Amino acid sequence: MSISPELAPLAAAAPPRDPDRALLDALFLGPYGENDTMLEKLVTEFLRDHVYWRRNFHPEDPPAISTRAAQHPDYQAFEARLRGELHQLSAALKRSVPFHSPRYIGHMASDLLLPGLAAQILTLPYNPNNVSEDAAPVTIDLEIRAGLQLARMLGYPDDPARADCAFGHLTSGGTVANYQALRLALALKAFPVALRAAAVPDLDLPADDWAAFNTGPRAATGLVERWQVWLASQPPRERRRWREAVQAQRIESLGMVGFFARHPELRVPKVLAPITAHYSWSKGLKLLGLGRDQLELLPERGMRLDAEALERTLQRCERERQPVLMAVAVLGTTEYGTVDPVDAVVAARERALARGLGFSVHVDGAWGGYLATLFREEDGSLRDIDAVRADYASFPLPEVHAAFAALGDTDSITVDPHKLGYLPYGAGAFVCRDHRAVALLAETADYVFQDSGTADYMTRYRQLGQFVPEGSKSGAAAAAVYVTHKVLPLDHAHFGRLPRQTVLAAEAFHARAARLATELEGVARVAVPFVPDSNLVCLAINPAGNTGLSAANAFVRRIHDELRCDPRQPLQLKQFFGSSTTLRPEAVGETEMRRILASIGIDPATLDPDGGHDDDRLVILRHTLMNPYLIDHTNGRSYIDLYLQHLGARIRSLLTPQ
Ligand SMILES: *Cc1c(COP(=O)(O)O)cnc(C)c1O
């Protein structure tokens, strides 16, 4: 097979070297495994170091495995079997998805940061379990500190000496972080009701159940604090009695059925999320027993959560005495990378609270959380929009800057270190603005309620298993996250240089796609359906002359089939990897949908809301531009150019009669 001319290096057009390049060159194993020596040296050095640690524990203990053990036939047979299996595994893994390659622009995965990979491999043989300090004396601190590092990136208070310091912990992923957000919001919402039901004196409690259930997260956190102080002031016997009395009234003790039976004027609260929300929200409502019906999906306008629809829904809930648990804003949607107006959601929360409807605001930043580094100065303050803008052609839109600027006013945030943090699975994170609320999640009420006055922040969270959804959990993952954030602090001058590349890549893609549209005139209509908010770029394609939705969808499906992973074929037969998604009028709004269809010459009348298969939506290509080497400065190659050339050639060959 000859190398096609489109893949020959474009050496003549080498762009000037990017000032960030020297740093970026050191961060990853690299598409070609260029930094293999560094990784190999680190892994061997610290594996040896681990072995010395074992030997130096009690050097007087003689080796338990004899030096002759390796000569035994059973030993050798075992080793042979092990090697055989590992060879098979290693061979099979060659069919894995090449996330590391700049030819992979499909889903939300890319190369792994060396600091994280090295820290994780280094820590694995120590096998710390971050469920509690007894099993992880070192890495549990690193997890709590990683939570504080993320809190600072997001604009939450990160000084543990402050009473209202934030708290964050790791989870297996964004899904479980979202569960934790639901759990904390529900605990905070129902706690004031429990205090009233137990008739705790002296706390200046809300007048009725409705008011108590609508205290809102800030005031409810204040109540948790006042309750703990009051409890500590009671004589030991009384303290115990009151603790049990309140515990018996909590939703966590009674369950949904028991709690709402005792408070007939209250209803199971709703979660309001944009229609683009990840399916973990549906799973979470089922898991918590709130029920999927309590998830109310709000429409979008201009590819973002429609703030007016949120306001209308809140007013309707208020009229119907329908409580709201939380409003979710998505920071970087999974399908489109779009950013919801976090600022508008926060403002809606304040207005509703003033009218007596309290709820939490959670940001699902599983994808876009790390983009906050672009907006963070080294001293932790917010970068103003002009400073950020200087680096790009048009990023960030004012709406996007405003959304990131408002993160500090939200109640909790999900971020995935295993997505834009470039760390191995599973590393998600949950961060809440004020750690005092977390006392409500403690599995043993005694533990927090007794020690809260005395235990300092770092000590309290060393029993992490008390507060998190999981039990046993990886200390190695915590080490990876912490070390990465230490080596690359979470501000624009350090870690931010990495997401900066991804946004620049998206801008380059967007510009090059416009050229492709011109090149394909008369063959196909190609459009970027909406201006990217971050680093995902979609493409809508329609064969020239076609006006029907289903033919356009069939064509894009056909192209996508060539771009998707196919385990039956050798990997090398694929030139590029991409993904696809769909646009539906319910999700993007009628006006937006018409505009997008018109941009590629599709008659909106052919969109059939009741039609089967794809007829109610437009199929588009989706590209996640997170690989740091999409623009190869060493060889003057742009994989974005190469991809769009390839795509153009495929479209042409499928559409022009041979
Ligand atoms: C990926 C993603 C999730 C789920 O995270 P996992 O780490 O896959 O569990 C949730 N929300 C958004 C917006 C995501 O992009």
Side-chain angles (χ1 to χ4, degrees):
M1 208 173 89
S2 66
I3 294 177
S4 65
E6 74 187 49
L7 301 179
L10 310 167
R17 262 184 86 81
D18 184 302
D20 290 347
R21 233 33 255 184
L23 170 73
L24 290 164
D25 281 349
L27 294 185
F28 295 92
L29 181 54
Y32 193 75
E34 294 89 333
N35 288 322
D36 59 337
T37 319
M38 172 157 39
L39 182 61
E40 206 173 303
K41 264 169 63 187
L42 292 172
V43 170
T44 358
E45 179 179 340
F46 290 106
L47 178 64
R48 286 191 186 135
D49 199 40
H50 173 80
V51 170
Y52 297 145
W53 176 70
R54 292 191 174 200
R55 291 182 183 176
N56 289 324
F57 176 49
H58 273 285
E60 72 276 20
D61 294 347
I65 302 167
S66 137
T67 46
R68 285 192 313 275
Q71 289 156 20
H72 195 280
D74 288 356
Y75 184 111
Q76 288 165 358
F78 173 80
E79 187 179 348
R81 273 207 318 282
L82 172 61
R83 280 183 177 279
E85 278 307 321
L86 290 179
H87 280 302
Q88 280 191 41
L89 171 66
S90 179
L93 285 171
K94 302 298 180 293
R95 280 182 285 127
S96 296
V97 185
F99 292 138
H100 63 276
S101 168
R103 288 169 181 270
Y104 184 85
I105 46 178
H107 295 285
M108 296 170 154
S110 178
D111 208 349
L112 297 172
L113 276 169
L114 283 176
L117 196 57
Q120 180 131 358
I121 296 174
L122 186 169
T123 312
L124 278 175
Y126 297 87
N127 198 28
N129 178 355
N130 273 16
V131 70
S132 83
E133 63 178 334
D134 290 352
V138 179
T139 51
I140 206 141
D141 264 352
L142 304 188
E143 179 157 350
I144 302 164
R145 288 180 200 283
L148 293 168
Q149 291 165 330
L150 289 170
R152 179 182 162 94
M153 168 182 87
L154 299 164
Y156 285 164
D158 68 323
D159 175 5
R162 272 179 67 161
D164 65 348
C165 182
F167 169 69
H169 62 81
L170 302 183
T171 56
S172 66
T175 299
V176 175
N178 286 343
Y179 298 166
Q180 180 76 329
L182 288 168
R183 214 160 72 102
L184 183 60
L186 186 64
L188 262 183
K189 191 161 185 65
F191 188 65
V193 179
L195 289 177
R196 278 195 81 247
V200 179
D202 309 332
L203 286 189
D204 192 16
L205 295 172
D208 57 29
D209 274 359
W210 174 260
F213 209 40
N214 282 292
T215 303
R218 259 179 218 273
T221 305
L223 261 183
V224 174
E225 175 87 347
R226 294 213 304 279
W227 151 250
Q228 293 192 8
V229 170
W230 180 83
L231 200 61
S233 73
Q234 299 297 302
R237 186 187 298 269
E238 286 294 289
R239 196 181 304 163
R240 187 192 177 115
R241 190 174 74 75
W242 280 111
R243 191 166 53 228
E244 283 169 5
V246 170
Q247 199 61 16
Q249 296 293 342
R250 292 189 54 194
I251 200 165
E252 288 81 0
S253 303
L254 295 167
M256 295 287 165
V257 175
F259 182 84
F260 289 102
R262 272 180 206 211
H263 305 283
E265 59 277 48
L266 299 181
R267 280 198 268 162
V268 182
K270 285 203 183 239
V271 171
L272 311 179
I275 192 158
T276 46
H278 188 264
Y279 67 118
S280 50
W281 290 103
S282 160
K283 289 191 200 173
L285 270 91
K286 293 180 192 167
L287 189 72
L288 244 74
L290 291 163
R292 172 66 179 72
D293 284 356
Q294 269 45 256
L295 179 59
E296 187 159 332
L297 295 177
L298 302 174
E300 304 246 307
R301 179 186 288 184
M303 300 307 295
R304 300 200 175 89
L305 169 71
D306 181 347
E308 283 172 27
L310 171 64
E311 184 61 35
R312 276 196 306 278
T313 308
L314 289 170
Q315 289 180 6
R316 192 197 71 224
C317 288
E318 196 190 334
R319 273 197 311 279
E320 296 173 354
R321 303 281 274 184
Q322 167 61 58
V324 175
L325 178 62
M326 83 170 33
V328 179
V330 185
L331 199 76
T333 53
T334 319
E335 295 305 313
Y336 318 115
T338 45
V339 173
D340 282 334
V342 178
D343 47 326
V345 177
V346 166
R349 178 194 63 192
E350 296 307 316
R351 282 193 304 271
L353 184 62
R355 302 192 304 261
L357 190 76
F359 58 88
S360 300
V361 170
H362 178 78
V363 172
D364 186 353
W367 172 249
Y370 276 93
L371 294 175
T373 53
L374 299 174
F375 301 89
R376 199 57 56 202
E377 296 287 0
E378 287 171 82
D379 67 4
S381 64
L382 184 78
R383 287 181 91 198
D384 69 49
I385 185 162
D386 295 329
V388 185
R389 274 217 164 140
D391 288 347
Y392 310 92
S394 55
F395 178 86
L397 295 176
E399 296 91 318
V400 171
H401 185 271
F404 279 88
L407 289 179
D409 296 323
T410 64
D411 300 297
S412 54
I413 304 179
T414 291
V415 193
D416 265 356
H418 67 205
K419 283 186 177 165
L420 272 180
Y422 297 85
L423 291 174
Y425 298 111
F430 170 79
V431 191
C432 65
R433 191 196 57 235
D434 186 331
H435 83 102
R436 291 171 298 184
V438 176
L440 293 178
L441 296 180
E443 192 51 30
T444 323
D446 286 15
Y447 167 69
V448 197
F449 290 146
Q450 266 170 4
D451 299 349
S452 63
T454 48
D456 74 279
Y457 185 97
M458 293 305 286
T459 314
R460 164 190 289 227
Y461 294 114
R462 298 188 113 231
Q463 300 302 328
L464 206 53
Q466 287 284 330
F467 307 99
V468 303
E470 285 130 322
S472 294
K473 61 205 295 287
S474 165
V481 177
Y482 173 79
V483 168
T484 302
H485 294 173
K486 282 293 273 192
V487 183
L488 291 170
L490 301 176
D491 56 57
H492 80 99
H494 298 90
F495 190 97
R497 299 210 238 171
L498 198 44
R500 177 172 175 269
Q501 292 298 316
T502 74
V503 174
L504 288 172
E507 291 193 332
F509 191 106
H510 192 177
R512 180 65 184 80
R515 229 171 76 209
L516 179 68
T518 321
E519 288 161 11
L520 288 178
E521 246 167 61
V523 180
R525 306 270 301 257
V526 174
V528 172
F530 46 87
V531 180
D533 274 352
S534 57
N535 42 23
L536 260 70
V537 188
C538 295
L539 278 182
I541 307 169
N542 183 30
N546 173 59
T547 56
L549 181 81
S550 27
N553 283 349
F555 184 71
V556 173
R557 288 253 182 245
R558 164 100 204 256
I559 300 258
H560 175 235
D561 276 341
E562 298 185 358
L563 293 170
R564 68 205 286 177
C565 160
D566 178 359
R568 293 158 309 183
Q569 271 192 0
L571 209 56
Q572 288 76 6
L573 290 184
K574 290 269 171 221
Q575 292 295 341
F576 288 93
F577 287 81
S579 60
S580 74
T581 184
T582 61
L583 290 167
R584 289 172 297 145
E586 312 91 274
V588 305
E590 297 284 345
T591 324
E592 188 72 1
M593 192 73 198
R594 280 173 178 277
R595 182 189 64 72
I596 293 168
L597 291 176
S599 76
I600 51 167
I602 294 177
D603 177 2
T606 61
L607 184 84
D608 180 2
D610 307 314
H613 196 47
D614 281 341
D615 293 347
D616 60 343
R617 59 193 64 195
L618 177 71
V619 181
I620 56 177
L621 294 180
R622 164 181 175 265
H623 310 94
T624 307
L625 301 168
M626 70 181 284
N627 189 289
Y629 305 100
L630 285 172
I631 298 168
D632 168 355
H633 292 257
T634 305
N635 302 296
R637 259 163 96 96
S638 158
Y639 285 87
I640 294 165
D641 284 350
L642 294 176
Y643 168 71
L644 288 168
Q645 273 171 33
H646 167 81
L647 187 66
R650 289 306 302 142
I651 294 174
R652 220 176 259 287
S653 101
L654 289 170
L655 291 177
T656 26
Q658 302 299 311

